[in-house]
Amino acid sequence: NTAEAKAFLFGLKWCIANGHIFTTVETDSLLLLNSILNLWSTPWRMRETVEEIRELILRHNIQINHCYRKANRVADKLASYSHLTNTTIVITDTSGLPAHVKGLLNLDKWQFPSFRIKKRKPSLIYYDPP
């Protein structure tokens, strides 16, 4: 949760510093969303980060919404991708995205649902003879 809050703050600061004007930001973390909106008490490890996010949201008139994790697959895949390195990576255009993330982003742009296909292991059926 703390890492997600720090990543959210980093992205927010980066967008503001680079002149990206937006009015809505989405997160799939209900803890972060409700902490920012002051609906839930903020865990002490996230308190400073959440306060800074609140200030930026108020100062720049930004709305924050919840997005279900299953509908937030691009961000989920990018978060997984970030675990492969210890450095900060800022991707500013689609050419820098990994191929599997580009595909998900295109599905989002086209407002086409993406499906997660999970292979099942064959179930074993035990037969007890009479």
Side-chain angles (χ1 to χ4, degrees), residues 41-54:
S41 63
T42 306
W44 66 270
R45 291 183 183 180
M46 294 172 49
R47 197 162 287 137
E48 286 181 35
T49 306
V50 168
E51 285 298 324
E52 200 170 344
I53 292 170
R54 266 192 213 129

Side-chain angles (χ1 to χ4, degrees), residues 72-115:
N72 202 14
R73 291 193 62 206
V74 174
D76 192 41
K77 291 295 179 186
L78 284 173
S80 297
Y81 179 65
S82 74
H83 292 288
L84 302 176
T85 183
N86 290 330
T87 61
T88 301
I89 300 171
V90 177
I91 300 171
T92 58
D93 61 26
T94 56
S95 65
L97 290 172
H100 65 286
V101 177
K102 279 184 195 177
L104 291 170
L105 182 63
N106 283 331
L107 290 173
D108 273 1
K109 282 183 185 177
W110 300 329
Q111 295 182 348
F112 193 80
S114 62
F115 300 96

